[in-house]
Amino acid sequence: MTVDERLEALVEDRLSSDGRLVVLSGAGISAESGIPTFRGADGFWTVGSTVYQPQEIATFEFFMREPPVTWAWYLHRRAACHRARPNAAHLALVELESLLGDRFTLVTQNVDGLHRRAGSGPTRLLEIHGNLDRVRCSANCGGATWPVPARFDDWEDRRQLDAEELDLLACPHCAARGRPHVLWFDEFYDETNFHFYGAQNAAAAATLLVVVGTTGATNLPMRMAEIAAGRGTAFIDVNIEDNVFRRHAASDPRSLVLDGPASHWLPRLAAAVARRAGSS
Ligand SMILES: [Zn+2]
């Protein structure tokens, strides 16, 4: 069988009338839209004579020390995300949602908002690392998030915010500082902000789990894969490079490795699901 035929057979077997599809997306799908990861040299941030590294900036501890620098870095990243456009992979996920309805859940590690901009519905989208377009209270007073004010949409890439700009980002409820709605390296997943249980429940209910463009460096995606594996859920890894999910898929006869870009494979997955929907 060709890989395309195996994909077709897996969809037929796993997404019959009550089958549920869960897709977990990561940085690879954003990279295909030209968004850098900001984890290496592309994320270095120079303020005066000091060079900050992404792993340093992306912490709660650093934010409390240098909020004007943290915010400038995130607004710079946000501007890069706004210049990017959703690609064929994002659009295929929108199509899968429209084909499967409540039998589809999209879990994403990406904070760039491209899934929303492509048209993925908010109720079936779990942003487990947050979203650069949202702000939340640094004192955690209520759990709600709010949009980054429009004032920052044309961010001009200065190295830090001034006091007046910081005040615009303050919490509307308790006046504590507003912070980027993202998960930092020195923080933990929770349900309110990051769907810690929602994502695991989705993985437990899936009959097919598709992992796209992620190398599994963080804890929650690994946990989802372990839950799915423990239940005998079929598994597809879509990636241009080797990763832990791929090694699992390669060793499991029910599972499939799709080597290549998400923008190549996800439209094929959507087409296979559409054919199945048409024949039932
Ligand atoms: Zn507050």
Side-chain angles (χ1 to χ4, degrees):
M1 272 208 276
T2 65
V3 176
D4 277 298
E5 286 165 348
R6 289 188 62 201
L7 175 60
E8 192 91 27
L10 200 54
V11 165
E12 181 66 35
D13 180 47
R14 291 292 166 153
L15 294 178
S16 56
S17 56
D18 58 351
R20 301 182 80 91
L21 173 63
V22 173
V23 177
L24 169 64
S25 75
I29 194 168
S30 300
E32 290 177 42
S33 285
I35 296 178
T37 63
F38 296 100
R39 282 197 171 206
D42 53 24
F44 287 9
W45 196 246
T46 307
V47 183
S49 61
T50 309
V51 181
Y52 297 108
Q53 304 214 1
Q55 285 73 8
E56 180 182 8
I57 303 174
T59 59
F60 185 69
E61 190 272 331
F62 186 82
F63 171 76
M64 294 307 280
R65 198 151 38 92
E66 294 283 1
V69 175
T70 305
W71 264 115
W73 188 69
Y74 277 101
L75 291 171
H76 162 77
R77 289 184 54 179
R78 178 172 178 259
C81 296
H82 284 193
R83 287 192 296 274
R85 297 166 63 86
N87 62 55
H90 295 101
L91 298 175
L93 291 167
V94 176
E95 191 188 344
L96 282 163
E97 181 182 0
S98 82
L99 288 164
L100 294 167
D102 286 336
R103 298 194 289 125
F104 174 84
T105 304
L106 174 56
V107 179
T108 188
Q109 298 174 273
N110 301 334
V111 295
D112 50 53
L114 280 178
H115 287 304
R116 288 180 190 237
R117 279 170 57 202
S120 287
T123 57
R124 300 182 187 116
L125 172 65
L126 307 182
E127 293 171 317
I128 59 171
H129 290 173
N131 186 316
L132 292 177
D133 287 322
R134 311 290 297 178
V135 188
R136 74 174 199 274
C137 177
S138 64
N140 222 356
C141 74
T145 67
W146 62 92
V148 172
R151 154 82 177 263
F152 296 105
D153 285 352
D154 297 313
W155 177 247
E156 56 191 272
D157 240 10
R158 277 173 293 120
R159 299 281 104 179
Q160 47 189 323
L161 272 63
D162 61 31
E164 182 213 346
E165 289 167 328
L166 264 189
D167 286 347
L168 288 173
L169 293 157
C171 175
H173 307 291
C174 75
R177 287 199 195 292
R179 53 164 286 175
H181 174 46
V182 293
L183 180 68
W184 280 326
F185 289 115
D186 56 351
E187 296 181 312
F188 298 98
Y189 288 106
D190 65 19
E191 178 61 19
T192 307
N193 292 307
F194 304 112
H195 308 282
F196 184 68
Y197 298 108
Q200 293 179 68
N201 292 341
T207 52
L208 177 61
L209 174 65
V210 178
V211 178
V212 183
T214 183
T215 50
T218 57
N219 157 294
L220 182 51
M222 282 306 295
R223 209 180 263 238
M224 289 175 63
E226 283 162 13
I227 289 169
R231 290 172 170 257
T233 303
F235 187 82
I236 298 177
D237 176 72
V238 183
N239 212 313
I240 57 171
E241 59 188 349
D242 190 27
N243 66 82
V244 291
F245 301 111
R246 169 151 307 180
R247 291 191 281 281
H248 166 61
S251 67
D252 178 358
R254 289 168 307 220
S255 297
L256 186 59
V257 171
L258 299 178
D259 187 24
S263 55
H264 173 84
W265 284 113
L266 289 189
R268 279 169 167 72
L269 172 64
V273 172
R275 280 193 291 277
R276 218 217 62 77
S279 66
S280 62

